[in-house]
Amino acid sequence: MAKKKNVNEMSFLNHLEDLRWLLVRSSAAIIFMAFVTYFFSGFIFDDIIFGPTDPNFITYRFFCELAQAIGVTGDICVKELPFIIQNTSMEGQINTFIWTCITAGFILAFPYILYELWRFISPALYEKEKKNALGFIVISSLLFFLGVIFGYFIIVPLSINFVATFSVSSIVKNEFNLDSYIGMIKTSVIAAGLFFELPVIIFFLTKLGLVGPNFLRKYRKYAIVILLIIAAIVTPPDVVSQITVAIPMLLIYEASIWISVFVENKKKKDEQYS
C-alpha cells in the first residue's frame, strides 16, 4: 500500500500559509467570474432572477399540467402573482447588483474552488487517492450544479408562489423589498447546492471514521422528519409541492448511506490485505 505523505513535515504556520493562498486564489476566481457576469447582468436579472415572478414560468406550467394529468383538485395553476418588488434604499440597487454578481461568480467558480480545496487536502491522502482528483471535482461540481438547478426551478418558484398568494387580510398588499427577494433566491439556490454535496461530505467523514452507515441509519427517522419539515416550510400547503421537494432530498440522504457503506466495506478490505 502506498504511504501517505508525511504532513507533519509541514509546520502549523505552513498549513496556515497554504490555507491563506487557497482563500486568496478562490476569492480571485470568484471576483473574476463576477466580473464576467457583469456583461450578462441584463439576462441574469431580467430572465433568471425575476423569471419566477412571471405566472408563465416553466415550473408553474409544469405543476399545473402535472396536477391536471393526475386529477389533483384545488387551485394549483398559477394565474397571477399579486406582488411588486420595490427598492427602499438609495444604494439598494447598487448593492444588489454587486452582491448578485459575486454570488453568480461563486457558483461559476465552484469547480475551481473544489480544485483548490483538493490541493489543500491532497498531502494527507494516499498516492492512489490523489489520482481521483478529477473524479472528485467533476462529481462534486455536478452535484452542486444539480442542487442549484433544483433550488432555482423547484424551491424558489414554490416559495414565491406561496408568499405571494398568502395574505392575512385583503387590506394588506404584498410589496417585497428588493433585498428580501434577492436574498431568498440566493439562500435557496446556494443552500440547495451545498445540500446536494452531502454524499461527498459523507464520503470523507466515513473515510475519517467520524460517521458510518449505522450512525446514518440510526438517525434516518430524525433526518426524514427534518427534511419533511423543511419541505413543508419552503413549499405551498399542498401535497404535490411538498412531495416534489422532499423526495430528492430524501434520495440524497439515502445515497449518502450507501456511499458510507461502500467506503466502510472498502476500508475493511484494505485492512485485511494490508
Side-chain angles (χ1 to χ4, degrees):
M1 180 182 295
K3 293 185 178 180
K4 294 181 181 179
K5 180 181 178 179
N6 186 7
V7 295
N8 293 325
E9 295 176 357
M10 298 178 60
S11 68
F12 177 72
L13 292 179
N14 287 335
H15 283 297
L16 287 181
E17 181 69 10
D18 286 347
L19 179 61
R20 183 175 72 88
W21 279 108
L22 180 155
L23 296 175
V24 169
R25 289 190 291 266
S26 297
S27 299
I30 293 173
I31 294 173
F32 174 77
M33 296 309 298
F35 181 76
V36 171
T37 61
Y38 166 80
F39 298 98
F40 304 93
S41 58
F43 171 76
I44 291 174
F45 279 96
D46 294 337
D47 297 316
I48 297 180
I49 292 180
F50 296 118
T53 63
D54 185 354
N56 292 318
F57 188 66
I58 184 173
T59 302
Y60 304 136
R61 290 188 280 110
F62 170 77
F63 278 105
C64 180
E65 295 172 2
L66 177 63
Q68 292 174 349
I70 62 178
V72 174
T73 59
D75 190 14
I76 293 181
C77 296
V78 177
K79 298 180 178 62
E80 65 173 338
L81 294 169
F83 70 92
I84 64 172
I85 300 174
Q86 61 180 352
N87 175 51
T88 58
S89 61
M90 293 184 62
E91 71 282 0
Q93 295 200 52
I94 297 176
N95 291 336
T96 296
F97 180 85
I98 293 173
W99 283 106
T100 299
C101 287
I102 291 175
T103 302
F106 170 77
I107 293 174
L108 295 176
F110 193 76
Y112 179 79
I113 296 173
L114 290 174
Y115 168 72
E116 288 293 339
L117 180 61
W118 181 269
R119 287 184 57 189
F120 180 73
I121 65 175
S122 61
L125 302 176
Y126 292 106
E127 288 298 328
K128 61 180 181 180
E129 293 174 333
K130 295 179 182 179
K131 299 177 181 178
N132 297 327
L134 180 61
F136 165 76
I137 295 172
V138 171
I139 293 175
S140 299
S141 298
L142 286 176
L143 287 173
F144 178 76
F145 290 133
L146 282 174
V148 168
I149 292 172
F150 176 76
Y152 176 73
F153 284 103
I154 301 298
I155 296 178
V156 168
L158 294 177
S159 300
I160 291 176
N161 180 34
F162 176 64
V163 299
T165 56
F166 180 84
S167 176
V168 295
S169 172
S170 60
I171 299 176
V172 182
K173 305 299 180 183
N174 284 326
E175 298 180 355
F176 301 142
N177 187 275
L178 178 62
D179 290 340
S180 176
Y181 176 82
I182 299 291
M184 184 273 294
I185 292 180
K186 290 192 294 186
T187 301
S188 300
V189 168
I190 298 297
L194 295 178
F195 179 79
F196 271 57
E197 292 292 313
L198 182 62
V200 177
I201 296 173
I202 293 298
F203 175 85
F204 283 103
L205 291 180
T206 304
K207 287 186 72 68
L208 294 173
L210 298 178
V211 300
N214 293 333
F215 174 86
L216 296 174
R217 291 192 184 104
K218 178 180 178 181
Y219 291 97
R220 176 195 277 130
K221 57 184 179 181
Y222 301 107
I224 292 175
V225 171
I226 293 173
L227 294 178
L228 290 176
I229 292 175
I230 294 174
I233 292 174
V234 301
T235 60
D238 64 82
V239 177
V240 175
S241 300
Q242 293 173 4
I243 292 177
T244 303
V245 172
I247 287 180
M249 298 171 72
L250 294 174
L251 290 177
I252 289 292
Y253 187 84
E254 291 298 323
S256 301
I257 294 178
W258 286 107
I259 289 174
S260 183
V261 171
F262 170 78
V263 173
E264 193 167 85
N265 290 339
K266 191 174 184 305
K267 286 172 61 178
K268 291 179 181 179
K269 289 182 181 179
D270 290 342
E271 292 174 356
Q272 290 177 353
Y273 293 103
S274 60

